[in-house]
Amino acid sequence: MTAPGIAQDDLSDPQIAHIAYTAGQIDITAAEQALRKSTNPTVTDFAQTMVRDHKAVNVQALALVEKLGVTPEENATSTALSDAAQAKSEELEALEGEAFDAAYVANEVAYHRTVNEALEGTLIPSADNAELKALLETGLKLFASHQAHAEHLAADLQ
């Protein structure tokens, strides 16, 4: 699930909304896989946090696009994210126990780093709508805490 580079010029707000929603949904799916496969309480607690927080942000995102009358628009970046996530999910599915936990958490570190960099460097600056920009900025703060949590958890699993 490590995200491919999210650097696309001239992104429209509907494309940005789709990328952000897709990124959140990918992390929900990964966390649900961890909840199904992991027996480590620390990893499952982290995964539950990912599900809760990313679902909450995606609900806000869907409410915003509905309010604005905007339809999120699939694009090369959101498709690449989905394809990479599917490949990573298959890779993680083959692992068990501590190997799964370590790989899942390492991927969460890398994924959040990539998405946070994209939010900060590309998506937020490219967003034209002030409400979309504000939602992305709120998401960035939350997801930066996720990255720090994942980094701490990864260190504990070593």
Side-chain angles (χ1 to χ4, degrees):
M1 186 179 71
T2 49
I6 303 174
Q8 188 174 331
D9 293 332
D10 301 323
L11 289 169
S12 67
D13 283 358
Q15 291 171 326
I16 291 168
H18 199 277
I19 292 166
Y21 182 84
T22 299
Q25 194 57 47
I26 286 167
D27 211 27
I28 292 166
T29 301
E32 289 171 343
Q33 182 182 39
L35 290 170
R36 197 177 71 252
K37 290 187 63 81
S38 182
T39 58
N40 182 319
T42 308
V43 172
T44 58
D45 286 350
F46 174 78
Q48 288 170 340
T49 299
M50 295 306 100
V51 170
R52 181 193 68 226
D53 290 355
H54 285 281
K55 279 186 177 182
V57 171
N58 276 0
V59 165
Q60 291 175 344
L62 289 176
L64 178 59
V65 296
E66 185 176 312
K67 173 186 172 189
L68 299 175
V70 172
T71 301
E73 186 179 308
E74 189 168 349
N75 54 80
T77 300
S78 60
T79 300
L81 281 171
S82 294
D83 291 347
Q86 181 61 40
K88 180 53 77 171
S89 176
E90 290 169 9
E91 179 185 316
L92 290 174
E93 194 62 36
L95 302 174
E96 297 293 334
E98 291 178 6
F100 171 83
D101 292 339
Y104 165 69
V105 173
N107 187 65
E108 285 294 296
V109 170
Y111 185 71
H112 279 91
R113 183 177 298 129
T114 299
V115 170
N116 291 342
E117 288 171 1
L119 279 165
E120 191 169 31
T122 303
L123 302 180
I124 292 169
S126 298
D128 291 323
N129 180 277
E131 290 177 273
L132 175 59
K133 190 178 291 266
L135 180 62
L136 295 171
E137 289 168 345
T138 299
L140 177 59
K141 289 176 190 164
L142 179 63
F143 305 151
S145 73
H146 290 173
Q147 181 181 334
H149 187 176
E151 289 168 347
H152 179 75
L153 184 54
D156 287 349
L157 291 176
Q158 288 183 350

